[in-house]
Amino acid sequence: MARPPTGMRADARRNHERLLTEARSAFAQHGTDASLEDVARRAGVGIGTLYRHFPTRDALLSAVFEDAVGDLLTRSHELLHAPEPCAALVTWLREMVTHAGEYRGLAHALMSVSHDRSSALARCSDPIRRAGGALLARAQEAGTVREDVAIGDLLQLTHAIALAAEETPGDPDLADRLLTLTLRGLKAD
């Protein structure tokens, strides 16, 4: 769980935790473009307090998504020891698509941060890139994934698939079909 900075007063820590709780709820209901004023109001604080804790929307998104990122990182470490490296990579990519589709607008935010190293969301993106890179390298070393595949491209593809699925809610199998098509292109000859 995203933890408030150490040394924070008890009341500030409570505000921090309430802001995160309300942001999760607002993002789940209204997507990542949810009103930050509404988040602050629901947490019982002013907008200035929200911005003292989270100076940008990306900083708030990053804090909200740290738990999911932690789960994905743990999962990547587990999969590094799986007997079939390509299957491990595929499993993790499927979980990435699921994660990116968790909140409406997250896939778009993740796609846009992939080239913006200054964004607070990069704090979540960098560990994911390293974890996925390790799974990819293992599959490439096993000769099951083409050598010219890059982790940045795979992550962009998973975010694009999640975005396509988000835009087509009437087709619950779309993400899996698109990921399957993508994965066929990864296989080594």
Side-chain angles (χ1 to χ4, degrees):
M1 184 162 156
R3 290 178 172 60
T6 56
M8 190 179 278
R9 293 184 338 252
D11 62 330
R13 191 172 32 260
R14 282 190 301 275
N15 287 343
H16 188 272
E17 290 166 4
R18 280 197 317 260
L19 284 163
L20 283 175
T21 298
E22 294 304 331
R24 281 185 193 97
S25 175
F27 293 158
Q29 280 183 311
H30 306 291
T32 58
D33 288 334
S35 162
L36 296 185
E37 289 83 3
D38 185 48
V39 170
R41 184 174 34 261
R42 290 165 59 165
V45 300
I47 191 67
T49 299
L50 182 144
Y51 282 118
R52 272 192 299 282
H53 287 273
F54 307 102
T56 65
R57 179 178 295 272
D58 280 356
L60 181 57
L61 286 171
S62 177
V64 165
F65 302 129
E66 278 183 27
D67 289 341
V69 168
D71 292 343
L72 287 167
L73 294 176
T74 298
R75 186 68 172 130
S76 73
H77 294 302
E78 293 167 0
L79 290 168
L80 270 175
H81 306 292
E84 296 195 28
C86 187
L89 176 64
V90 169
T91 297
W92 191 76
L93 290 173
R94 285 187 194 290
E95 292 172 12
M96 279 294 302
V97 169
T98 299
H99 163 66
E102 194 171 313
Y103 296 97
R104 193 176 74 250
L106 177 58
H108 183 275
L110 291 171
M111 286 179 78
S112 64
V113 75
S114 67
H115 298 294
D116 180 4
R117 308 314 321 147
S118 66
S119 168
L121 270 174
R123 190 173 80 207
C124 290
S125 177
D126 291 342
I128 289 292
R129 185 177 294 272
R130 286 190 298 275
L135 289 168
L136 174 61
R138 188 167 173 254
Q140 288 170 324
E141 288 165 8
T144 55
V145 173
R146 294 178 8 203
E147 289 295 322
D148 63 339
V149 175
I151 191 59
D153 295 341
L154 282 181
L155 292 175
Q156 282 290 78
L157 284 169
T158 59
H159 301 327
I161 289 167
L163 184 59
E166 177 184 307
E167 296 295 322
T168 316
D171 187 354
D173 299 325
L174 179 65
D176 196 56
R177 285 195 321 272
L178 291 175
L179 188 57
T180 298
L181 284 171
T182 300
L183 296 173
R184 286 184 186 146
L186 300 179
K187 303 263 180 174
D189 294 331

